Amino acid sequence: MQLWADADRGGRFHTTARWWSAPFAELELEVPLAGDILEVGCGHGVLATYLAITSRARRVLGIDIDAAKITLAREAIGGLRPDEADLRFEVQPAGVVPTIDGGWRSIVIADVLYLLGRERRDALLAACVDALAPGGLLVIKEVDTTPRVKARIAQLQELISTRVLRITDGHVLEFASSDELVATLIDLGMSTMAKRIDHGYVHPHCVVLGTRPMRSVEAP
Ligand SMILES: C[S@@+](CC[C@H](N)C(=O)[O-])C[C@H]1O[C@@H](n2cnc3c(N)ncnc32)[C@H](O)[C@@H]1O
């Protein structure tokens, strides 16, 4: 959090709120410790930075559609020593998933899909699967739609963030259940599982993991 200490009041509030309300430490355990890692919709860069500083063997790129957030993320990591993290941030248009030779070892998407609506969500997930290396891991963190009370609290907070405070870009608010996300990843040919990571949290945080097959299965 010290990295964002010089940000404006909104930036400090948002990054502190993200750190305390989202289970980033639990999420980090799901991400491979080494290799090229992409975070799509990285916002102010808190999670991407945490992934990079917890393992120097991760080469992390965070992308977002919001140029102001990427500027803030870049300023924040200016406070790191060069040997502390392999980390950079880029602005990318909505729906664009950068590709690299050999594919990404892992792509992480945390609390972005609910802003997209069904069609754009499915298109983004398909682009992520295509951009992964064979055997690469897609790590999706969202708030689940159950239990209902926790889900309502999360949905109300997001309504305030997008419509009242306008600190998050989002025209649609469409929360997919972990079961729906698992079904989408299965349709995209991935082996997948979901689990809750909300113990001790007000929001029903869940993580959905999908592994791209090592090689595509040919029809006989
Ligand atoms: C709730 S914030 C989450 C930020 C970060 N992942 C985190 O967990 O702190 C959602 C972010 O998704 C970004 N976003 C929305 N639609 C996007 C899209 N199509 N592609 C990339 N980022 C997007 C927003 O600009 C915002 O920064």
Side-chain angles (χ1 to χ4, degrees), residues 18 24 39 41-43 64-65 69 94 110-112 114-116:
R18 285 305 289 158
F24 288 157
E39 189 196 352
C42 63
D64 203 285
I65 56 172
K69 287 183 179 173
D111 293 322
V112 176
Y114 70 93
L115 297 166
L116 305 185

Side-chain angles (χ1 to χ4, degrees), residues 14 18 22 24 39-47 63-66 69 92-96 109-112 114-116 120 124 158 167-169:
H14 197 162
R18 285 305 289 158
F24 288 157
E39 189 196 352
V40 176
C42 63
H44 299 94
V46 177
L47 175 59
I63 62 166
D64 203 285
I65 56 172
D66 186 329
K69 287 183 179 173
Q92 289 286 352
V96 171
I109 314 176
D111 293 322
V112 176
Y114 70 93
L115 297 166
L116 305 185
R120 290 167 65 210
L124 182 66
E158 291 310 331
I167 52 179
T168 303
D169 281 346

Side-chain angles (χ1 to χ4, degrees), residues 116-135:
L116 305 185
R118 175 74 193 259
E119 210 171 301
R120 290 167 65 210
R121 179 179 82 214
D122 288 356
L124 182 66
L125 290 175
C128 287
V129 173
D130 284 346
L132 280 172

Side-chain angles (χ1 to χ4, degrees), residues 7 11 13 17 20 28 32 35 50 73 85 92 111 115 146-147 154 161 168 192 218:
F13 170 77
W20 290 109
E28 186 271 329
Y50 186 63
Q92 289 286 352
D111 293 322
L115 297 166
T146 57
S161 293
T168 303
T192 180
E218 299 287 332

Side-chain angles (χ1 to χ4, degrees), residues 114 143-163 173-177 203-204:
Y114 70 93
V143 288
D144 212 340
T145 52
T146 57
R148 195 171 291 193
V149 173
K150 278 189 164 193
R152 288 283 179 270
I153 292 171
Q155 290 166 7
L156 183 64
Q157 184 191 309
E158 291 310 331
L159 199 66
I160 293 169
S161 293
T162 52
R163 305 282 157 78
L173 279 186
E174 202 176 302
F175 294 86
S177 67
H203 299 157

Side-chain angles (χ1 to χ4, degrees), residues 5-26:
D6 293 334
D8 59 22
R9 187 142 43 116
R12 287 199 310 277
F13 170 77
H14 197 162
T15 50
T16 306
R18 285 305 289 158
W19 178 254
W20 290 109
S21 65
F24 288 157
E26 289 84 345

